[in-house]
Amino acid sequence: MLTIKQITENTDAVIRGLEKKHFKDAAATIAKVIEVNDKRRNTQNQLDKNLAEVNSLSRTIGQLMKEGKKEEAEAARTRVAELKEGNKVLDTAMTEAATELQNLLYTIPNVPYDEVPEGVGAEDNVVEKMGGMETELPKDALPHWELAKKYDLIDFDLGVKITGAGFPVYKGKGAQLQRALINFFLDEARKSGYTEIMPPTVVNAASGYGTGQLPDKEGQMYHCEVDDLYLIPTAEVPVTNIYRDVILDEKQLPIMNCAYTQCFRREAGSYGKDVRGLNRLHEFSKVELVRIDKPEHSRQSHQEMLDHVEGLLQKLELPYRILRLCGGDMSFTAALCFDFEVYSEAQKRWLEVSSVSNFDTYQANRLKCRYRNGEKKTELCHTLNGSALALPRIVAALLENNQTPEGIRIPKALVPYCGFEVID
């Protein structure tokens, strides 16, 4: 959530940034925020003034009575009663203005950094880097859904029977490969200094609002209506919310957490080739990185996270590219975001496997996540997160890019975790 200070002191820059994100009616919305905030502030000032007068009069009434000035004391009592009635109206008006202001701020996305390129959608993202090994497949190369059937690794039909489309069942070496990847990613994160967290996969509404998943305009979260709880779309939500309403000491930063969880996304409106097999699921496994940092160090933290994810893809021997997302393709909450994609040789397309984002103070302001600096003043933290990594498309690329006439080769880094070198 943008801060009022950010909006009032840098109004034009905020509007330009929101327009880069293609936020509709940016200028009008910001003008409304300023108007409502002025109303809230003026009401608060009048209320404070009235309360001060009530306190002052209340102190004098007793003295006036002692001095026998009954008429003046009664006049003071009457004035106090009038002020108290007026304060009820002011208090209601202030609460309404504060609520309206909060609801307005919830609708406004984060402002992208200056280095975020202009653009409307994915076609306008900028390729920053390409790497990994080129792949040459047999002429009769199969997509991963056919390989999964051939080697009895994943049963998509059984998932439909048990739950529905988008909930695959992993079997045998397919299940072992999943567990191997999870353990590999967690071990690599721990080696890089991350502390592992095992959080709940169901959160309350406050947690959803804290990291910006709520209000959920696209209806992508699964909502347990009876208990008003939400299935998490990513471990970012519960892990970041550990620090909601917390004041950290500067010496604690940066905080580095990692977590493996199942993730749940409705993926409403998804259809066609993009949802085939593992390309787009409603439930999937993911290891997430979360950092809480000082503003002056968050860009370095972001780069370290990017380096970490790139190192994982290199160890998995997958062809990859790194994209700097344009304003129109960034998430609601991000100020700067890079996507990692791996190339699926059998499908002849790039598959997104990670987004690594810096949220600046946007989430921290919602969370009231602050730190106390060397001068003992409290400031908002910066929050960052990134997938390291999401499993479905990694599995798809591993199966497709490593298929040989003898079977599917396992990358060397994974062999100790899998316990086998080939799926045959």
Side-chain angles (χ1 to χ4, degrees), residues 113 291-295 298 358 360-361 364 380-384:
Y113 287 159
R291 287 202 187 197
I292 313 293
D293 209 346
K294 296 185 294 185
S298 73
N358 188 335
D360 202 89
T361 60
L380 288 172
C381 296
H382 279 198
T383 63
L384 307 93

Side-chain angles (χ1 to χ4, degrees), residues 149 154-164 167-169:
K149 185 176 182 180
I154 308 168
D155 195 323
F156 295 101
D157 294 333
L158 187 55
V160 172
K161 173 186 175 182
I162 297 170
T163 309
F167 296 88
V169 175

Side-chain angles (χ1 to χ4, degrees), residues 305-322:
M305 294 172 77
L306 293 170
D307 293 343
H308 180 86
V309 174
E310 184 176 10
L312 295 177
L313 295 175
Q314 289 171 343
K315 289 177 182 177
L316 292 176
E317 304 169 32
L318 289 171
Y320 66 89
R321 67 180 183 180
I322 306 173

Side-chain angles (χ1 to χ4, degrees), residues 239-258:
V239 175
T240 310
N241 269 278
I242 292 171
Y243 308 98
R244 173 160 44 98
D245 298 321
V246 171
I247 299 178
L248 299 161
D249 190 274
E250 185 174 9
K251 294 178 182 178
Q252 295 175 263
L253 303 176
I255 287 173
M256 301 165 60
N257 292 150
C258 65

Side-chain angles (χ1 to χ4, degrees), residues 23 74 135 153 191 216 220 231 250 260 290 334 370 395 402 418:
F23 178 64
E74 286 302 319
T135 306
L153 303 174
K191 290 175 186 176
D216 183 14
Q220 294 290 10
L231 302 185
E250 185 174 9
Y260 151 68
V290 171
R370 294 161 290 172
V395 171
N402 292 305
C418 289

